[in-house]
Amino acid sequence: MRRAARPGRAAAVGLLLAARAVAGLEPISVGIAIAAASALTGYLSYTDLFCRFAECCLEEQRLNASALKLELEEKLFGQHLATEVILKALTGFKNNKNPKKPLTLSLHGWAGTGKNFVSQIVAENLHSKGLKSNFVHLFVSTLHFPHEQQIKLYQDQLQAWIRGNVSACASSVFIFDEMDKLHPGIIDAIKPFLDYYEQVDGVSFRKAIFIFLSNAGGDLITKIALDFWRAGRKREDIQLKDLEPVLSVGVFNNKHSGLWHSGLIDRNLIDYFIPFLPLEYRHVKMCVRAEMRARGSAIDEDVVTRVAEEMTFFPKSEKIYSDKGCKTVQSRLDFH
Ligand SMILES: Nc1ncnc2c1ncn2[C@@H]1O[C@H](COP(=O)(O)OP(=O)(O)OP(=O)(O)O)[C@@H](O)[C@H]1O
C-alpha cells in the first residue's frame, strides 16, 4: 500500500535536497536526491522505493487484463483460440484471492506457431522483467534435463528449485518447453506442486503458474484446421469443442503420449489445454512485417513477399501451412 503524502517540514527538507542536487550544489546525484525527497515527503513507502531499484514480487498485484488482451490481439497472429483461452484463464486465476491449486496451462501446436512467444508475453504481463525476471523460470527439456541416467538428481534439484522460489515469491511462473520430450520422472517430480494441497512441506503453491509447451497434438490440430479449410469454412470459426474430442483421443488418452504417462491428465492437474493453429502464408507475412517494425525498418512489401515465399508450405497439394510457422522469419530477413 502506498502511504498518503505527508507534506510539511520533511517535504521541505526533501525538496531542498533535490533542488540543491539539481543545481549542482551538493555532490549527490540527482537520482538519490529525488529518491530521498520522495521518501521524505511520503510519496513513496520504503517498499515502493526499494522496488524501484530491485525487483519485487508483488503477489497481490492485479493483472492488467485489457493490456494483455491488446498485446495478444496486436502481436499474436492467427491464434484466436489461444488468445481467448489464455485471457480467460489468467484473468480468472489472478482475480481469485484464494485459488485452490496453482494455474496449469498446457500449450499445444505445430512448430513456430507462437507457444514460446505467448509465454514470453504472459510472463511480461505477470512480472515486468518477463523471462529475465527472478520470478520467471524457463526449463527446456533437452537443455536442462538431457541425461536419462541423471533423472534422480534432476528430480531433487528441480523440486528444491521450485520449493525455494515459490517460498520466496508465491506468484512465481515456471515454463517447461519441449514437454513432450521431458522424462516422465521429471513430470512426476513436479506433480505434487500442481495438486490441490494447501501446503507442501510448509509452502503453498496455489498462487504459482505452470506453463507447459509441447508439439504433442500439433498434427491433429492441423488436420482439423485443414478440414475446415477444405470445407470452405473460416479458420476463425474453429472452436475449442471442434478440437477437444480429437485431442482427447490422440493425446490425452493415448498411452504412448508422454503427458498421459505422467498422470498429469488422468489426475486432472492441467487446467487449460490451449491449441495453436498452424500458420498460413498471410500470417507469415504478418510476422515478417512485425520483425521489420521491431528492427526499426520501413515495411518493404517486396521483401515481405520474398521472405514469405522462401518458406515451405504443406500439404504438398495445397501448400497452405508454413512447416516452420514463423520460426525462421528472423534469420531469413537477415538475407534481404
Ligand atoms: N502466431 C504468431 N504470431 C506472431 N509471431 C509469431 C507467431 N508464431 C511465431 N511467431 C514468431 O516466431 C518466433 C518463433 O515462434 P515460437 O518460438 O513462439 O514458436 P513455438 O510455437 O514455441 O515453436 P516450437 O514448438 O518449435 O518451440 C517468435 O519469437 C515470434 O517472433
Side-chain angles (χ1 to χ4, degrees), residues 158-179:
L158 183 60
Q159 288 195 329
W161 183 265
I162 295 177
R163 196 178 295 119
N165 279 289
V166 175
S167 2
C169 179
S171 58
S172 291
V173 177
F174 301 91
I175 303 168
F176 290 84
D177 192 10
E178 302 180 347
M179 190 69 179

Side-chain angles (χ1 to χ4, degrees), residues 145 148 151-152 154-156 158-159 181-192 258 261-262:
F145 316 109
E148 207 172 322
I151 291 300
K152 180 77 189 77
Y154 297 150
Q155 285 178 324
D156 294 344
L158 183 60
Q159 288 195 329
K181 298 192 187 87
L182 197 59
H183 190 282
I186 303 286
I187 308 182
D188 279 337
I190 319 169
K191 236 173 1 187
H261 267 300
S262 67

Side-chain angles (χ1 to χ4, degrees), residues 50-205:
F50 180 79
C51 295
R52 297 237 159 165
F53 297 101
E55 193 189 9
C56 290
C57 168
L58 303 168
E59 279 167 26
E60 302 306 328
Q61 183 161 292
R62 289 175 73 96
L63 174 78
N64 185 342
S66 38
L68 175 62
K69 182 168 187 282
L70 198 69
E71 197 171 353
L72 289 174
E73 285 170 354
E74 274 180 5
K75 295 186 182 167
L76 182 68
F77 309 133
Q79 303 297 359
H80 66 285
L81 291 172
T83 299
E84 180 194 320
V85 183
I86 286 171
L87 267 173
K88 203 192 291 172
L90 283 173
T91 320
F93 183 72
K94 292 298 281 184
N95 284 343
N96 182 356
K97 285 214 169 345
N98 288 307
K100 295 278 175 287
K101 69 183 280 305
L103 177 67
T104 48
L105 308 176
S106 192
L107 280 48
H108 297 258
W110 202 263
T113 51
K115 300 180 296 297
N116 274 284
F117 185 56
V118 157
S119 312
Q120 188 185 322
I121 295 178
V122 166
E124 282 164 5
N125 278 269
L126 293 168
H127 296 285
S128 59
K129 290 192 175 177
L131 294 182
K132 292 200 190 102
S133 164
N134 290 327
F135 314 123
V136 176
H137 311 273
L138 171 67
F139 300 95
V140 182
S141 307
T142 46
L143 183 69
H144 294 101
F145 316 109
H147 306 298
E148 207 172 322
Q149 60 277 24
Q150 308 255 32
I151 291 300
K152 180 77 189 77
L153 177 70
Y154 297 150
Q155 285 178 324
D156 294 344
Q157 287 177 339
L158 183 60
Q159 288 195 329
W161 183 265
I162 295 177
R163 196 178 295 119
N165 279 289
V166 175
S167 2
C169 179
S171 58
S172 291
V173 177
F174 301 91
I175 303 168
F176 290 84
D177 192 10
E178 302 180 347
M179 190 69 179
D180 35 353
K181 298 192 187 87
L182 197 59
H183 190 282
I186 303 286
I187 308 182
D188 279 337
I190 319 169
K191 236 173 1 187
F193 305 127
L194 307 183
D195 223 322
Y196 288 78
Y197 304 122
E198 197 159 330
Q199 296 203 330
V200 182
D201 295 338
V203 180
S204 168
F205 293 86

